[in-house]
Amino acid sequence: MIHPRSLAAPRSRLLLLALLAAVVAVLGVAQVPSPARAASLTAVSGFGSNPGNLSMYSYRPDGLPSNAPLVVAMHGCTQNATDYFGHSGWQKYADLWRFALVLPEQKSGNNAQSCFNWFLPGDTSRGQGEALSVKQMVDYAVANYGVDRSRVYVTGLSAGGAMTGVMLATYPDVFAGGAVMSGIAYGCGTDTVSGVLCMSQNKGYTAQKWGDLVRAAYPGYSGPRPRVAVWQGTSDTTVYPFNADQLRDQWTKVLGVPQTPTSTSSLPGGTTLKEYADGTGTAAVKVYTISGMAHGLPVSPGSATDQCGSTGQYYISTICSSYYVATTWGLNGGGTQPPPALPAPAGLIVTGTTASSASLSWDAVSGASGYNVYRNGAKVTASPVGGTTYTDSGLASGTTYTYAVSAVTSSGAEGAWSATVTATTTGGGPCVTASNYAHTVAGRAYASLGYTYALGSNQAMGLWNVMVTHTLRQTGTNYWVIADGQC
């Protein structure tokens, strides 16, 4: 309600209002413009029938050009689209190189841990479930954002990485490339139990069988298939490192390239890149291995072009993976990655072992000022060693270790890793082969949150049940290590 007294304004106020109106008329200003709204992550509804009951989020940089590329980025378990958008570094490159992002999000009603259901046939088949929901998000972006349908890419972490494989297998006609970050090979699991086992138990399939699983996802398809990159940390005890080998076997077979790398190079953060090129010399499959990294997405906070992201749970400071993925896809306008600094050392051998040490030697590399030594994927030399020999001490007796070396320049640039060798220390106690359940009951291991760990060494053994079997070797009082195939 308006009070009657407010209708009678003083003469001075009326004169002031008249003056302001005149100024506005002279300046030709009809109204004060509202400030421009910066681009932000936006929830999208009505993108399709959405049979997988997923949520869609998108990000379009201000001034997005027509026919821009599109990147679909999928979060891992316990994460969401906002979390992945904020930590992964993809926003930086979308702004810098002008492409659009779509971030699918799982709902807790579909999966209690907010994991994409990459192991359920109803969600991993072409034209069904979550796979179709993600494809409908791409269709929506093409129709409404004007992106280039021929330049659509997909990536994701953990369950999102496994779902990346699902999309590459079921919709090879939609995606030009994919990057699987700590993920699982397509077709590994068919239900919750088998899916969980895929994370820690090697299926032992041949490359042919892995490839057949992908081909069966879209029977009769004969068109081009997307290039694939695989990223994996060597100390991942959630999605074990052998999963990267299974992904490599699967996609090299599908893409028809040799399983022997055509080149090996070294990148920042203790990262080794192995490329598997086709007949034209183009890398169809790339495998990035990050030394000592646990389960998570590799990021590298900073302002340099090749730095991105922020650390957090499952975001690990090693190397900006989003930068290397984006440049591989040519999203930066076709820029390429720098060549490795030095070649890999040749001739690495084990010259001797004791109960607590292993001695190595290798051939010199021209231009090297020193060498880094890696044990089981983790660097053991605080600074580069000056010669071509090294003795690693303080080891457990009766235990097998894997070694590699790399050359380093005087400026600190690290070259590619050598081929690996194994060394087994002498001595050691008895070996026992049993199920994880039996090991735990006997006191050789312990269970935590449904998983089993070797007593003393705390090595992850997988699920606590009678179905998973390991060999353990006793190397000290109440100290056991995994010794599968060693006793």
Side-chain angles (χ1 to χ4, degrees), residues 37-420:
R37 186 178 65 177
S40 61
L41 186 66
T42 304
V44 180
S45 60
F47 58 85
S49 61
N50 191 17
N53 192 32
L54 302 179
S55 297
M56 175 182 174
Y57 289 81
S58 68
Y59 179 76
R60 289 179 288 167
D62 295 329
L64 181 71
S66 59
N67 294 316
L70 172 67
V71 173
V72 178
M74 293 186 281
H75 64 80
C77 296
T78 74
Q79 298 176 327
N80 57 40
T82 301
D83 176 66
Y84 203 69
F85 178 75
H87 285 284
S88 65
W90 277 110
Q91 180 186 2
K92 172 177 179 173
Y93 299 115
D95 288 336
L96 181 63
W97 294 326
R98 322 307 291 166
F99 56 84
L101 297 173
V102 162
L103 291 95
E105 182 177 278
Q106 181 62 286
K107 297 179 181 179
S108 59
N110 299 334
N111 185 292
Q113 299 298 315
S114 297
C115 309
F116 291 102
N117 289 311
W118 56 268
F119 44 82
L120 298 181
D123 286 308
T124 62
S125 300
R126 183 178 174 90
Q128 298 184 39
E130 293 177 11
L132 179 54
S133 289
V134 175
K135 195 263 185 181
Q136 289 177 344
M137 295 180 197
V138 173
D139 291 340
Y140 181 93
V142 170
N144 292 276
Y145 305 159
V147 296
D148 185 348
R149 185 176 285 279
S150 68
R151 291 193 295 166
V152 178
Y153 305 89
V154 61
T155 184
L157 167 65
S158 192
M163 200 66 192
T164 294
V166 170
M167 300 312 299
L168 296 174
T170 56
Y171 291 101
D173 51 333
V174 172
F175 298 98
V180 180
M181 325 301 289
S182 301
I184 310 287
Y186 176 75
C188 184
T190 56
D191 53 33
T192 302
V193 173
S194 61
V196 171
L197 289 175
C198 284
M199 298 161 62
S200 60
Q201 300 298 310
N202 195 318
K203 299 287 282 189
Y205 289 170
T206 64
Q208 182 66 42
K209 183 173 179 62
W210 282 123
D212 288 344
L213 290 170
V214 169
R215 284 183 283 269
Y218 188 1
Y221 178 72
S222 59
R225 291 194 180 263
R227 294 174 292 162
V228 180
V230 178
W231 290 73
Q232 180 69 49
T234 64
S235 297
D236 191 334
T237 56
T238 299
V239 176
Y240 281 34
F242 67 78
N243 284 284
D245 298 333
Q246 294 182 161
L247 281 159
R248 174 205 62 205
D249 292 349
Q250 183 166 67
W251 290 103
T252 52
K253 178 58 68 172
V254 169
L255 292 166
V257 297
Q259 290 179 261
T260 302
T262 50
S263 67
T264 301
S265 56
S266 181
L267 299 175
T271 304
T272 298
L273 166 61
K274 293 185 177 181
E275 300 184 75
Y276 302 79
D278 59 21
T280 68
T282 302
V285 176
K286 294 185 176 185
V287 179
Y288 298 80
T289 306
I290 303 95
S291 171
M293 193 184 82
H295 187 65
L297 183 75
V299 298
S300 179
S303 58
T305 301
D306 63 351
Q307 291 180 305
C308 73
S310 58
T311 57
Q313 187 176 21
Y314 304 121
Y315 301 97
I316 303 173
S317 181
T318 48
I319 181 175
C320 173
S321 55
S322 297
Y323 167 79
Y324 285 91
V325 172
T327 54
T328 291
W329 293 338
L331 301 184
N332 62 334
T336 58
Q337 300 169 21
L342 291 170
L348 177 64
I349 60 172
V350 179
T351 58
T353 58
T354 68
S356 61
S357 69
S359 297
L360 311 167
S361 72
W362 57 89
D363 298 339
V365 173
S366 177
S369 64
Y371 301 87
N372 288 331
V373 180
Y374 292 86
R375 180 208 314 136
N376 295 342
K379 188 165 66 172
V380 295
T381 46
S383 58
V385 297
T388 58
T389 62
Y390 180 76
T391 297
D392 189 23
S393 57
L395 306 177
S397 61
T399 305
T400 299
Y401 298 93
T402 300
Y403 290 94
V405 296
S406 65
V408 182
T409 66
S410 58
S411 64
E414 184 178 23
W417 285 18
S418 69
T420 59

Side-chain angles (χ1 to χ4, degrees), residues 400-447:
T400 299
Y401 298 93
T402 300
Y403 290 94
V405 296
S406 65
V408 182
T409 66
S410 58
S411 64
E414 184 178 23
W417 285 18
S418 69
T420 59
V421 296
T422 58
T424 303
T425 53
T426 60
C431 289
V432 180
T433 301
S435 70
N436 282 354
Y437 174 81
H439 280 308
T440 303
V441 171
R444 295 182 291 269
Y446 65 93

